[in-house]
Amino acid sequence: MAVELRVRGMVQGVGFRPTVWRIANELKLSGEVLNDSEGVLIRLEGPEGDIAYFTRRLAGEAPKLARIDAIETSALGETVAFDGFTIAPSRTGKMTTAIIPDAATCAECLSEINDPSQRRYRYPFTNCTYCGPRLTIIDAAPYDRANTAMSGFPMCAECSAEYADPADRRFHAQPIACSRCGPRLSLSTSGGQPVDMPPGGDAISVTARLIADGHIVAIKGLGGFHLACDATNPDAVAMLRERKRRFGKAFAVMMPDLETVRRFCVLSEMEAQLLQSREAPIVLLDTDGDPFPEAIAPGLSTLGVMLPYTPLHHLLMQDLGRPAVMTSGNLSDEPQCTDGEEARARLAGIADYLLDHDRPIVNRLDDSVVRIMAGEPAMLRRARGYAPAPLLLPKGFEQALPVIAMGGELKATFCLVMNGQAILSQHLGDLENAPTFDDYRRTLELYLGLYDHRPSVCAVDRHPDYLSRKLGETIAETNGIELVGVQHHHAHIAACLADNGVPLGAPPLLGVALDGLGFGDDGTIWGGEFLVADYRSYRRIGSLRPVAMPGGAQAVREPWRNTLAHILAIMSWEEFQANFAGTALHGYLVTKPVRVVASMIATGINSPLTSSCGRLFDAVAGALGVVADAQSHEGEAPELLEALVNRAELETMPASAAYGIAVLPNGSGVTWLDPAPMWRALLADLAVGTSNATIAARFHKGLAIAVADFSFQLMRDHDAGNAVALSGGSFQNRIVLEEIKRRLEAGGVRVLVHSAVPANDGGLALGQAVVASARSLAGDDAVQGDG
């Protein structure tokens, strides 16, 4: 019997062909295996039973980094006289198989770099087919050494022998290297002066000593430079924060091992598994135990923690023996540096030393961030370790046209749809920053080239001023393809549906989208939305009551403006003064141009209406004085407000103690959730000196009760089924997500939440992509708006 097996999925660059070769030879089958543009092609000749057993073993013994999406079997039409089983040369063609994400150091390589008898002892670029760089080094398809950053490093004889041996775990490992032929480290001062190595020392051990002595070192890693300092040294942390001009946003910390993590944080088994996984993300953990300097994560009760994920990091942390800050190598809001000369120029005023190496970083890549919420991992930032692994689209999307989706403005990503799967790019940052937008465009061109992607449809956000939309309009016009405008919150809900594998033909359900802002169909700014939606369309049936946002974008940065707007929505300034003149909030607001802002709101001058949940969080944070003048980064106010909540108090608090939010029909077909009762109760609490922690708990619990109860009402009134999808950046708040989900599930509702893609705008491109795909499959007019 002779058959051909087509294996699709993440099956190149992971040691898949050697696994096929090994199993085939063990079963004494003849044939060949090769890579091509569609994945892996296997031709087998032998008894039917042995071939069936081969297929079962292949599925069960696939390499660690592989993901088999399908094994398709067909009869081999041609007669071939195979001489044993061999690995045949790769074939080129249009790239449809997956590019593998970068993977954390495997146990075998870690053992080698710590074993003095091994030739890769303390070699910081050790890797194999089970681990090492992938996306960060590729610049063209197919994934061969000549098309990677390793093209400039000819292999020595020993590496060549490993590379050519199918029985070796480095068979065709494209980044293979050793100290004789591979990349090398260099340590210098920020001014470029090489640092002398002491007897018996090397660049890594000296770097560890410099960090321990209180210095800041820029370290070139997989996808860019980190800025590192001793996380237990308050002076070093404060100096890094001052030099980097990162005044509020938390730093991530790398710890040597799990034992160290447990000294500082609460660590569940699931969180430990994430930290040790091949993806090795930053995991957001609750702090408990030994304290860090306050400047690590100001005002927060959580800490972003990661373990070493490259040989360089493992060796450094072993030598250092304590936690180290590992934050992106840049000034705040800029892309991280990827090149030594660039780092020396841009980080000269921040880093004292640079630990550089000569392997180029082709693709900038941030660390991924994950948090356990409602008992499951939730992606907050999808980058290293996860991107660009393809996401299999749900049933019904198999014949979707090639689509490109441009994403949003903040936490930008883009998405390609091809062959029933979505290729979601890594997190690229905020496009309002010019260097970030340049990097976004360059990365988009790279992906289009790698996958030879020629879209028929371009999907964009409906906000007319988003740079991603403007670029999408140019792409559509230049290439003569259809442009699809997708409403922001519809995209959020569609992304959640795709993330949960909801089939294309599923009936509409209730989607709750809570976030900072999105351009609404009525010209206002939405952000607290209740939609009856499927992939193709949606209908808005509820929202938070719109409130003015005085100053427009300035109100996003300055929470006090939202606080004042919410107060003036329920009472006059004179009434507020008469009732709350003795409060700290009144004392603060009288220092602001209240009359001017009140006039702006009354006349509608630069005060757009918004139903934003994010601005509601800002307003409450401003009222409590948590952050009132200005946020140092997007989302700071909600983060600090969540951190105020005492979980024990929250869990024992009766529903009657939570702040009430009213349901307000308004005759437009869109029912409002009106926070007016909440504000009157909150202001009364401020007047009697209720603690900020209790107020924050009452706010969170009241919002969760209101959203859940409102959802039940809307599902009944609008026959919206018995499932709810939760999406939008406000669902990164663990309290909000868990409280709403628990209440809905207690009422018998199926609740869909994000896991593989972020609930924030990092998942927006996926939502746009599936909306555009669904419409094209249905033959909808692609240029029509939602509604």
Side-chain angles (χ1 to χ4, degrees):
M1 179 180 184
V3 299
E4 185 173 274
L5 304 180
R6 159 66 61 198
V7 187
R8 303 185 188 277
M10 297 197 299
V11 290
Q12 291 190 10
V14 296
F16 200 87
R17 289 173 300 163
T19 299
V20 171
W21 177 85
R22 174 181 58 81
I23 297 173
N25 278 291
E26 288 174 1
L27 297 178
K28 295 182 171 51
L29 297 170
S30 58
E32 64 181 5
V33 58
L34 56 91
N35 282 342
D36 64 11
S37 59
E38 297 182 57
V40 168
L41 185 65
I42 305 167
R43 290 173 171 156
L44 284 176
E45 192 171 52
E48 182 177 357
D50 289 349
I51 290 176
Y53 184 42
F54 168 91
T55 304
R56 292 194 299 273
R57 284 191 59 183
L58 183 61
E61 299 176 27
K64 300 174 184 178
L65 297 186
R67 188 189 81 193
I68 298 175
D69 293 336
I71 300 178
E72 301 164 0
T73 305
S74 60
L76 190 59
E78 55 190 283
T79 302
V80 181
F82 294 112
D83 183 14
F85 193 91
T86 60
I87 297 177
S90 299
R91 296 177 182 173
T92 59
K94 182 176 179 179
M95 186 78 167
T96 59
T97 193
I99 296 168
I100 304 300
D102 298 67
T105 307
C106 69
E108 292 88 344
C109 285
L110 184 58
S111 176
E112 281 183 309
I113 65 172
N114 285 309
D115 184 349
S117 69
Q118 294 290 324
R119 70 187 191 92
R120 291 186 175 89
Y121 174 62
R122 288 188 68 84
Y123 182 59
F125 304 99
T126 299
N127 65 83
C128 67
T129 54
Y130 302 152
C131 67
R134 298 293 192 275
L135 175 62
T136 50
I137 62 171
I138 188 171
D139 59 10
Y143 176 63
D144 290 329
R145 192 179 181 93
N147 293 326
T148 73
M150 293 301 295
S151 61
F153 298 92
M155 287 180 279
C156 66
E158 288 175 286
C159 285
S160 293
E162 292 170 324
Y163 184 88
D165 182 0
D168 195 288
R169 78 174 197 279
R170 293 192 168 94
F171 176 73
H172 279 221
Q174 305 306 333
I176 186 174
C178 70
S179 58
R180 293 181 183 177
C181 63
R184 298 173 183 269
L185 289 174
S186 61
L187 180 63
S188 64
T189 66
S190 59
Q193 182 69 31
V195 175
D196 293 332
M197 295 297 111
D202 58 21
I204 296 175
S205 62
V206 173
T207 297
R209 191 198 69 213
L210 290 170
I211 292 173
D213 289 344
H215 292 288
I216 298 169
V217 182
I219 300 173
K220 187 177 181 180
L222 265 184
F225 275 83
H226 281 123
L227 289 165
C229 74
D230 181 354
T232 65
N233 183 332
D235 293 336
V237 175
M239 181 168 59
L240 175 57
R241 193 167 285 286
E242 180 67 28
R243 290 182 183 179
K244 186 175 163 66
R245 289 183 278 184
R246 183 166 172 164
F247 300 113
K249 197 172 185 179
F251 287 140
V253 174
M254 181 175 282
M255 300 200 188
D257 48 42
L258 289 181
E259 182 180 354
T260 306
V261 177
R262 292 189 177 97
R263 278 181 47 207
F264 295 92
C265 302
V266 178
L267 185 67
S268 69
E269 181 59 31
M270 185 178 293
E271 289 163 337
Q273 290 174 1
L274 277 170
L275 287 169
Q276 297 179 102
S277 67
R278 69 190 188 193
E279 294 85 5
I282 294 171
V283 180
L284 207 58
L285 302 176
D286 290 330
T287 52
D288 182 45
D290 294 354
F292 274 110
E294 171 65 17
I296 292 281
L300 300 180
S301 58
T302 55
L303 183 68
V305 174
M306 57 182 153
L307 293 181
Y309 56 84
T310 70
L312 189 159
H313 291 121
H314 278 284
L315 295 168
L316 176 67
M317 297 308 293
Q318 288 169 16
D319 290 349
L320 182 62
R322 68 188 76 171
V325 169
M326 286 283 176
T327 189
S328 54
N330 55 7
L331 284 172
S332 283
D333 300 325
E334 294 181 353
Q336 64 184 142
C337 298
T338 57
D339 173 78
E341 289 305 313
E342 176 196 19
R344 191 164 282 109
R346 289 174 52 197
L347 304 180
I350 306 176
D352 302 312
Y353 295 89
L354 266 77
L355 181 62
D356 195 6
H357 60 74
D358 55 355
R359 185 179 70 199
I361 296 173
V362 178
N363 299 301
R364 183 181 285 109
L365 198 62
D366 285 296
D367 295 311
S368 295
V369 183
V370 177
R371 189 180 193 183
I372 301 298
M373 297 198 291
E376 297 294 336
M379 189 74 63
L380 304 186
R381 183 170 73 197
R382 186 177 184 269
R384 176 186 54 77
Y386 297 93
L391 303 165
L392 295 180
L393 292 179
K395 183 179 179 180
F397 285 97
E398 295 85 356
Q399 303 303 317
L401 294 173
V403 171
I404 181 172
M406 305 300 288
E409 190 86 345
L410 304 178
K411 300 178 176 64
T413 60
F414 56 81
C415 185
L416 314 181
V417 170
M418 51 189 288
N419 303 313
Q421 56 188 8
I423 312 296
L424 184 64
S425 77
Q426 69 268 33
H427 165 88
L428 293 165
D430 298 346
L431 301 188
E432 57 197 15
N433 177 271
T436 301
F437 187 45
D438 290 341
D439 192 47
Y440 171 92
R441 289 184 293 188
R442 187 199 66 79
T443 307
L444 178 61
E445 287 300 317
L446 173 78
Y447 273 62
L448 291 172
L450 285 176
Y451 291 98
D452 192 19
H453 190 66
R454 300 174 186 177
S456 301
V457 178
C458 181
V460 295
D461 192 275
R462 296 185 68 189
H463 196 300
D465 296 328
Y466 276 5
L467 292 173
S468 58
R469 178 191 174 100
K470 292 179 178 179
L471 180 58
E473 289 172 338
T474 300
I475 290 172
E477 182 178 359
T478 301
N479 295 281
I481 62 177
E482 293 176 308
L483 184 72
V484 176
V486 182
Q487 200 281 323
H488 191 92
H489 301 97
H490 184 204
H492 271 310
I493 300 305
C496 187
L497 300 182
D499 201 358
N500 284 272
V502 175
L504 175 58
L509 50 63
L510 180 66
V512 181
L514 306 180
D515 67 355
L517 61 88
F519 193 77
D521 293 338
D522 57 3
T524 65
I525 298 171
W526 294 0
E529 308 310 311
F530 295 77
L531 316 174
V532 176
D534 57 16
Y535 289 110
R536 287 181 55 200
S537 63
Y538 76 94
R539 181 165 51 94
R540 188 189 194 208
I541 58 174
S543 80
L544 288 172
R545 183 177 184 177
V547 175
M549 201 166 77
Q554 200 167 354
V556 177
R557 297 185 288 271
E558 300 177 0
W560 71 267
R561 293 175 178 269
N562 300 291
T563 306
L564 181 58
H566 275 269
I567 291 171
L568 295 180
I570 63 169
M571 66 182 70
S572 67
W573 176 249
E574 289 73 23
E575 182 183 348
F576 176 75
Q577 285 187 304
N579 289 285
F580 304 103
T583 63
L585 175 58
H586 176 266
Y588 172 78
L589 287 177
V590 295
T591 68
K592 299 299 181 183
V594 171
R595 301 293 181 187
V596 173
V597 172
S599 177
M600 290 172 61
I601 293 172
T603 58
I605 296 175
N606 195 23
S607 298
L609 290 175
T610 181
S611 56
S612 168
C613 186
R615 301 293 77 79
L616 177 61
F617 269 86
D618 290 351
V620 174
L624 271 57
V626 174
V627 54
D629 266 352
Q631 301 191 72
S632 67
H633 60 277
E634 190 245 347
E636 180 183 21
E639 290 171 2
L640 294 174
L641 195 60
E642 179 186 1
L644 280 176
V645 177
N646 181 295
R647 293 302 293 260
E649 181 180 16
L650 180 79
E651 290 168 5
T652 58
M653 178 181 288
S656 59
Y659 293 143
I661 297 178
V663 174
L664 184 64
N666 66 4
S668 69
V670 178
T671 307
W672 287 340
L673 273 182
D674 184 5
M678 180 213 83
W679 279 107
R680 293 193 180 276
L682 186 153
L683 292 172
D685 274 351
L686 287 177
V688 298
T690 303
S691 72
N692 277 359
T694 296
I695 292 174
R698 288 176 174 172
F699 166 68
H700 277 84
K701 190 147 200 164
L703 180 64
I705 291 171
V707 169
D709 288 349
F710 193 40
S711 297
F712 288 132
Q713 177 183 326
L714 292 174
M715 283 189 286
R716 289 192 304 268
D717 293 349
H718 295 270
D719 193 23
N722 196 45
V724 175
L726 307 179
S727 190
S730 294
F731 285 110
Q732 292 180 128
N733 181 309
R734 185 171 64 189
I735 297 171
V736 170
L737 178 78
E738 292 180 347
E739 283 287 309
I740 293 174
K741 185 172 186 287
R742 179 176 62 82
R743 291 178 179 278
L744 289 171
E745 288 179 338
V749 172
R750 179 189 176 207
V751 181
L752 307 180
V753 299
H754 283 274
S755 58
V757 299
N760 61 40
D761 283 5
L764 206 63
L766 173 64
Q768 294 169 351
V770 292
V771 169
S773 296
R775 290 180 180 167
S776 66
L777 287 167
D780 291 358
D781 186 349
V783 298
Q784 292 297 316
D786 291 306

